[in-house]
Amino acid sequence: MKKLMFVSLMLLGLATYGQTTVQGKVVDENNEPIPGANVVLKGKAEGTTTDFDGNFTFNTDEEPPFQLQFSSIGFSDFTANVTSNNQTLTITLSEANTLLDEIVISASRTPERIFESPVSVERFGLREIKNTTAESFYGGLQNLKGVDINTNSLTFQSVNTRGFATFANNRFLQLVDGMDNTAPGLNFVLGNLVGMSELDVQSVEILPGASSALYGAGAFNGILFMTSKNPFDFQGISAYFKAGYTEQEAAGNNFYKDFGVRAAHAFSDKVAVKANLSVLTGEDWHANSRVDLNNPGADRSNPGYDGLNVYGDEVATILDFDAAAGFPSGTVGSAFISRTGYDEADLANYNAESVKADFALHYRPFANDLEVILNSRIGRGTTIYQGANRYAVAGFTMQQHRLEIKNDNFFVRGYIVSENSGDAYDTRFAAINVNRAWKSDTQWFTDYASAYIPTYLGSIQGAGLSPEQASTQAHIAGRQAADQGRLIPGTPGFESAFNSVINNGDLTTGAKFVDKTKFRHVNGNYNIAHLIDDWADIQIGGSFREYELNSQGTIFTDIDGPIKYNEYGAYLQVQKKFLDDRLKFTGSARFDKNEFFDGFVSPRVSFAYTLGEERNHNLRVSVQQGFRNPTTQDLFIGLNAGRAILVGSAPDNLDRDVRTFNVSESGQALIGQSTVQLVGRAAYENAFSTGSLQAGTPNTVETPLVQPEEITAFEAGYRAQVGRFTIDLSGYYNKYKNFLANTTVAAPFYGETKGIINGVPGNVDSEGNTIDVDPLQQQRALQALGNGDYQIYQTYTNSEADINSYGGTVGVDTKIGNFDLGVNYTFAELDIDEGKYPNLRTNFNTPKHKVKASFGNAALFENFGFNVNYRWSDTYYWEASFADGQIPAYTVLDAQVNYSVPSMKSIFKLGGSNLLGDEYYTAIGTGFIGSIYYLSWTINP
């Protein structure tokens, strides 16, 4: 702590140099303010932006005279001379098309034009928020090139870039004012469910691809940065109200509303505060698919029916009717039977809600760029989350509390992120355990067989039906008998059992999951360019994070108390311009160390060269290495997901997962026990591969413990401003090593699997090495399979497969008269030897081709504008733990018209998404996405 105080005081001392302040306003040729215009100190990496009224305040250590450069989308650059301190400027920008002159920070942790960024970057600012056609600014991000949004539910959208998309997207990082917005226990971002109010958004930046060299392990597939408005620069009271309705075939038409308010005030040039509150409510997209996962095309008449959005029917077994009745084999036969399930609509409340609030105190002790920020955010949401199962997330809350000290050259930031799962529960286990609360599985299948057998025999002997006809009648009779007295949704008996189950955290009898996980994070960055007279831009920084897992044994193996572990990292970046500032070199390296793994170095090198007399062409190339650590769930999960038990592979987790299983009568005769205990270690060291069981040739498998996944990323790009056309294209090639993967194995209740190859016991392993084995224990392991005495586990490990992905984007923006037109295309492809690794599930989940277009006019008439967005997505295959399947191609059209009333400082907007009304989905198992129509009123945006 003393060292931290010393460093902070030293930085405070460095920050007390004299300041030059320039204020002013940026307007267009009609004297209308230009919000979000970029104000940059020429030749330096310092800048700011204008507020909604076009006003700006710029502070710098530079002494006059110097020049400021002004730019904004749709306008030509303007350079102004600053000759004295406290100078006031009024800048008029003329129309042009300068998309690439926008200022971004994320690509290099320092302000720079998109045109000169060393890697691909997308920006969504105040102008784009005003013109977005989506019902929210977050939804509008899907219109950016190279950006995918997978819709889980109305309030939960998952952003991704460059493939490998799942709703539990732990490859993509989201930062809100520098704070990681990942839910600590879930290991992924819940979209903007508990994020930022659009009234407080100043800009959004997206970096597609790996950025581990600056941002660490989480920045593997891309990063989304949300930056809020500073209360010194954006003061006053702002508010918005949106009302409309959602339209979906399954749910009908339902009211939708979204309200937000922001208040900010600077009490002096030293103290400012702000507060935000937003509330969204609506009806979620209903998921009601009854497609039979075991037999597509079949319906509930299939005895082994397993509906996609029907739960409880996963409990199934093969009933040997002859063995049950003591008949000779073949008399009645056997059948695969599943219990009767419940529709998701009977188990989930589709009320969607998102409530976000935050408060910030900003203090500038010397009335200059040194700033101390105390910020608290809290979000509460109700949604449907789809992971291994479909989870009804009710009252989920997440909090973030931050203390930060910064100026133009450094920041030190400490924050804590915590979550509380609220009343969340697993809809699949809710159905399974409501069924079991009414009647045990054993009794239900016994009742089924007791009615099936006599009905089958009677139908053949008495009614003269064929065996097929008799079987159909017998299955009807069996299910009717087994379901007699079944709890019916809406009845007091069902409601009582259901409420009991969803408030029980033991998944053998309940469905509730508890999660109060948190992490603590400290990071800092220092740019020493001002100490070396801006010879080069040199940055150093580091971070430390401690995880504290706390699910009370419902998700992690923390039944005996919270689990803690940590990771840390440090980095260095050097950026320098050469050849008359045409060649820009960026080199960086970062070292990261997780408690469970060896340290890893992530280097990045890029070159960007500006060509042309007008410096309007830019070429860039970059190469970098990155990595991602296994998540908290990869390491410490211990969860019975129904189809399998999930066991993380942290070294000390293998013996933390301990479960008791009943042994079959045949097994009891072998080992003399009615129950056995299995530990998670068995899944990794004493198991068969499930693929070999399905093939009828059991093979032993030993699963290596998980290690960090690595990536080597190559990228090249070109940006240009050619007349009224802005061109931005890029291509990438990614090579993956130690690809994080899951395998499913079958662990026998007794016996040893070592040496069993293709169902034959031996003393040689799969690599030809001689091993010590006990033939009796090998035989027992095979007998366990025959007796059904085994458990399916999901393990967490790495694939040996060579996995590559490649793709590219091209975007063209222009003005036709006063109209804005933009078109972009994205290509993405996975490269893997599927013949060699047929069972590897990569979850690439990305269309090969995507096309997006926009057309609009911000000033079609006085104070009147409009915008139209078009998106087309190619078909693609979706892989996830919940279900797999083909996603059909889809086309979406969104539009909005807006009218500004300057005297009221208001904007009115009428818009709609999916105006064509063709419902679509982006993942197997979710509800179809319908249409949203809205009318909004924004005051002082």
Side-chain angles (χ1 to χ4, degrees):
M1 180 59 71
K2 290 182 178 178
K3 290 183 178 179
L4 179 61
M5 291 178 65
F6 173 76
V7 172
S8 299
L9 289 172
M10 181 185 71
L11 294 173
L12 285 172
L14 292 172
T16 57
Y17 292 121
Q19 292 281 305
T20 300
T21 300
V22 183
Q23 295 179 318
K25 187 171 187 175
V26 180
V27 297
D28 62 18
E29 292 168 308
N30 297 317
N31 205 36
E32 293 293 327
I34 301 177
N38 301 305
V39 183
V40 180
L41 178 61
K42 191 171 183 178
K44 298 292 181 69
E46 296 181 49
T48 186
T49 58
T50 60
D51 62 18
F52 181 73
D53 295 316
N55 298 317
F56 71 91
T57 300
F58 176 67
N59 296 307
T60 179
D61 293 329
E62 194 81 7
E63 294 184 2
F66 55 80
Q67 292 181 316
L68 290 180
Q69 203 163 27
F70 297 82
S71 63
S72 182
I73 294 178
F75 299 91
S76 294
D77 286 1
F78 184 86
T79 301
N81 294 314
V82 176
T83 57
S84 63
N85 190 16
N86 295 318
Q87 188 170 339
T88 300
L89 301 174
T90 299
I91 305 299
T92 301
L93 298 185
S94 57
E95 287 192 8
N97 191 0
T98 55
L99 175 68
L100 299 179
D101 284 325
E102 287 192 285
I103 300 300
V104 294
I105 298 176
S106 56
S108 304
R109 284 190 183 267
T110 188
E112 61 190 349
R113 294 192 303 157
I114 289 179
F115 186 75
E116 297 178 337
S117 168
V119 293
S120 295
V121 60
E122 298 293 324
R123 186 179 187 275
F124 201 80
L126 297 176
R127 179 184 174 95
E128 290 76 20
I129 292 172
K130 173 187 174 182
N131 293 325
T132 184
T133 56
E135 69 283 355
S136 70
F137 83 92
Y138 201 85
L141 299 177
Q142 63 193 318
N143 295 309
L144 299 175
K145 65 179 180 294
V147 176
D148 296 312
I149 285 189
N150 293 306
T151 300
N152 196 327
S153 58
L154 185 67
T155 53
F156 180 12
Q157 296 174 307
S158 178
V159 177
N160 190 61
T161 60
R162 299 189 177 177
F164 306 103
T166 64
F167 293 123
N169 190 0
N170 41 49
R171 294 170 172 267
F172 192 87
L173 185 64
Q174 181 169 298
L175 301 179
V176 176
D177 283 335
M179 293 185 291
D180 189 346
N181 205 217
T182 299
L186 297 177
N187 289 174
F188 56 86
V189 177
L190 290 166
N192 200 39
L193 181 69
V194 288
M196 187 180 289
S197 166
E198 70 177 52
L199 289 172
D200 200 37
V201 178
Q202 181 171 352
S203 68
V204 179
E205 297 177 21
I206 295 179
L207 283 183
S211 297
S212 301
L214 282 183
Y215 296 99
F220 197 73
N221 246 47
I223 317 177
L224 185 153
F225 301 80
M226 281 193 276
T227 302
S228 68
K229 297 173 180 176
N230 191 301
F232 282 107
D233 303 326
F234 294 84
Q235 299 186 48
I237 296 177
S238 305
Y240 72 84
F241 181 77
K242 300 177 186 178
Y245 67 93
T246 57
E247 183 179 80
Q248 186 200 26
E249 184 177 338
N253 295 347
N254 293 279
F255 186 62
Y256 167 93
K257 67 177 183 293
D258 185 7
F259 167 79
V261 61
R262 177 184 186 271
H265 182 68
F267 294 96
S268 67
D269 57 0
K270 292 186 177 182
V271 179
V273 297
K274 68 174 180 177
N276 290 276
L277 173 68
S278 63
V279 180
L280 180 152
T281 59
E283 182 81 359
D284 221 326
W285 305 122
H286 289 209
N288 64 347
S289 174
R290 295 192 175 96
V291 171
D292 190 339
L293 293 173
N294 292 329
N295 188 9
D299 56 25
R300 290 182 189 246
S301 63
N302 172 23
Y305 174 79
D306 182 8
L308 179 60
N309 294 126
V310 181
Y311 313 129
D313 51 8
E314 300 82 9
V315 178
T317 191
I318 297 176
L319 281 181
D320 188 336
F321 299 115
D322 293 328
F327 294 153
S329 179
T331 305
V332 179
S334 62
F336 181 72
I337 310 297
S338 65
R339 290 199 67 166
T340 305
Y342 292 98
D343 290 341
E344 180 177 294
D346 298 326
L347 304 163
N349 186 335
Y350 285 116
N351 292 334
E353 180 185 64
S354 173
V355 180
K356 298 185 283 281
D358 69 88
F359 172 82
L361 170 65
H362 291 239
Y363 177 54
R364 295 175 174 174
F366 307 108
N368 57 15
D369 67 332
L370 182 70
E371 193 164 343
V372 180
I373 303 171
L374 180 63
N375 175 217
S376 289
R377 294 181 177 275
I378 183 168
R380 181 181 184 275
T382 296
T383 189
I384 301 292
Y385 156 61
Q386 181 172 305
N389 297 328
R390 296 267 291 173
Y391 302 94
V393 180
F396 176 92
T397 60
M398 192 167 85
Q399 299 184 50
Q400 296 180 299
H401 304 285
R402 167 176 63 117
L403 175 62
E404 180 172 353
I405 305 173
K406 68 174 187 175
N407 75 355
D408 291 339
N409 301 311
F410 84 96
F411 72 80
V412 177
R413 178 188 302 130
Y415 62 92
I416 183 171
V417 181
S418 62
E419 69 179 56
N420 188 325
S421 55
D423 297 321
Y425 61 92
D426 184 324
T427 57
R428 191 188 304 276
F429 274 95
I432 290 172
N433 288 321
V434 164
N435 266 339
R436 288 172 175 169
W438 161 64
K439 183 184 288 188
S440 70
D441 294 339
T442 300
Q443 186 61 54
W444 192 91
F445 287 115
T446 298
D447 292 345
Y448 193 106
S450 298
Y452 180 95
I453 295 169
T455 303
Y456 178 86
L457 295 174
S459 297
I460 292 180
Q461 298 169 359
L465 300 180
S466 68
E468 291 77 12
Q469 293 172 325
S471 178
T472 299
Q473 295 300 317
H475 279 304
I476 293 173
R479 191 165 298 276
Q480 288 177 343
D483 279 347
Q484 187 173 358
R486 182 170 179 262
L487 301 178
I488 305 301
T491 63
F494 176 89
E495 295 302 319
S496 176
F498 178 74
N499 289 331
S500 175
V501 166
I502 65 174
N503 285 289
N504 180 353
D506 181 354
L507 291 187
T508 61
T509 55
K512 181 183 179 69
F513 66 85
V514 177
D515 191 11
K516 298 180 180 179
T517 296
K518 64 183 68 172
F519 64 75
R520 303 171 182 87
H521 189 97
V522 178
N523 64 318
N525 183 85
Y526 188 37
N527 190 328
I528 67 172
H530 67 290
L531 300 180
I532 55 175
D533 198 27
D534 291 310
W535 174 81
D537 191 275
I538 301 176
Q539 299 186 68
I540 55 175
S543 64
F544 175 84
R545 177 175 295 188
E546 180 189 62
Y547 293 92
E548 183 177 315
L549 313 184
N550 183 10
S551 72
Q552 299 176 22
T554 62
I555 299 175
F556 304 108
T557 56
D558 54 356
I559 190 68
D560 55 350
I563 299 171
K564 293 183 179 181
Y565 71 98
N566 63 68
E567 58 191 30
Y568 58 88
Y571 61 86
L572 168 69
Q573 176 177 276
V574 178
Q575 193 171 77
K576 173 72 174 172
K577 288 184 177 181
F578 302 92
L579 303 179
D580 191 27
D581 288 348
R582 287 181 178 269
L583 178 64
K584 184 178 183 179
F585 164 79
T586 305
S588 56
R590 180 180 175 113
F591 174 81
D592 285 274
K593 177 73 174 70
N594 181 285
E595 182 176 328
F596 301 111
F597 309 109
D598 294 335
F600 190 88
V601 176
S602 306
R604 181 178 81 175
V605 175
S606 71
F607 293 91
Y609 189 77
T610 301
L611 302 90
E613 287 187 17
E614 298 181 2
R615 298 178 181 251
N616 57 338
H617 299 269
N618 183 273
L619 295 171
R620 70 183 188 278
V621 293
S622 67
V623 59
Q624 61 182 305
Q625 287 185 304
F627 76 106
R628 72 179 183 108
N629 285 322
T631 67
T632 55
Q633 294 191 15
D634 294 337
L635 296 172
F636 287 104
I637 197 170
L639 175 67
N640 186 341
R643 301 178 189 273
I645 294 174
L646 285 51
V647 178
S649 69
D652 62 345
N653 194 58
L654 303 186
D655 298 319
R656 297 174 67 97
D657 189 274
V658 182
R659 300 174 189 271
T660 301
F661 299 95
N662 294 322
V663 179
S664 67
E665 292 185 2
S666 299
Q668 292 178 38
L670 281 174
I671 64 173
Q673 298 175 219
S674 60
T675 63
V676 296
Q677 274 194 341
L678 279 190
V679 296
R681 184 174 298 277
Y684 289 84
E685 299 177 1
N686 189 49
F688 297 102
S689 68
T690 53
S692 67
L693 296 191
Q694 294 168 357
T697 55
N699 277 325
T700 185
V701 59
E702 291 190 38
T703 304
L705 299 186
V706 71
Q707 295 294 317
E709 181 179 338
E710 301 174 30
I711 183 176
T712 301
F714 304 88
E715 181 178 322
Y718 168 74
R719 300 183 180 106
Q721 186 72 47
V722 183
R724 300 175 70 87
F725 290 88
T726 298
I727 302 170
D728 189 355
L729 61 89
S730 64
Y732 66 90
Y733 187 84
N734 296 332
K735 295 174 62 69
Y736 297 90
K737 179 182 177 183
N738 289 332
F739 190 86
L740 289 180
N742 301 123
T743 63
T744 53
V745 300
F749 292 167
Y750 39 86
E752 295 180 2
T753 66
K754 289 183 179 180
I756 300 177
I757 306 296
N758 294 327
V760 179
N763 64 346
V764 178
D765 64 19
S766 58
E767 297 180 355
N769 301 313
T770 302
I771 55 176
D772 292 328
V773 296
D774 183 340
L776 175 61
Q777 293 301 318
Q778 289 180 318
Q779 193 61 43
R780 286 194 169 179
L782 292 172
Q783 289 174 311
L785 296 179
N787 295 332
D789 288 337
Y790 63 89
Q791 174 60 45
I792 301 297
Y793 282 88
Q794 176 177 292
T795 64
Y796 296 78
T797 185
N798 305 89
S799 171
E800 297 178 354
D802 293 325
I803 297 174
N804 307 307
S805 68
Y806 56 91
T809 64
V810 56
V812 178
D813 294 272
T814 188
K815 269 187 174 292
I816 302 176
N818 201 33
F819 292 86
D820 299 305
L821 174 65
V823 179
N824 66 75
Y825 165 76
T826 300
F827 172 82
E829 181 70 294
L830 176 68
D831 179 15
I832 182 176
D833 188 345
E834 295 183 356
K836 187 176 181 181
Y837 301 97
N839 298 317
L840 177 61
R841 299 167 60 82
T842 63
N843 298 335
F844 190 64
N845 299 342
T846 302
K848 181 178 290 188
H849 307 285
K850 295 190 297 288
V851 176
K852 302 175 184 179
S854 63
F855 180 69
N857 190 325
L860 183 62
F861 310 115
E862 185 177 2
N863 298 325
F864 181 86
F866 78 95
N867 198 26
V868 179
N869 284 111
Y870 166 89
R871 298 187 303 279
W872 173 82
S873 172
D874 196 6
T875 182
Y876 58 98
Y877 192 75
W878 180 267
E879 286 181 330
S881 53
F882 183 76
D884 301 342
Q886 196 73 25
I887 305 296
Y890 58 84
T891 299
V892 181
L893 185 69
D894 304 338
Q896 61 88 7
V897 294
N898 63 80
Y899 182 70
S900 299
V901 184
S903 62
M904 300 172 58
K905 289 191 174 182
S906 295
I907 299 175
F908 295 90
K909 183 190 290 188
L910 177 65
S913 61
N914 194 17
L915 295 177
L916 300 177
D918 296 329
E919 296 186 2
Y920 66 101
Y921 53 97
T922 60
I924 300 297
T926 64
F928 278 61
I929 302 167
S931 303
I932 301 177
Y933 304 94
Y934 64 90
L935 174 65
S936 71
W937 176 18
T938 305
I939 304 170
N940 194 24

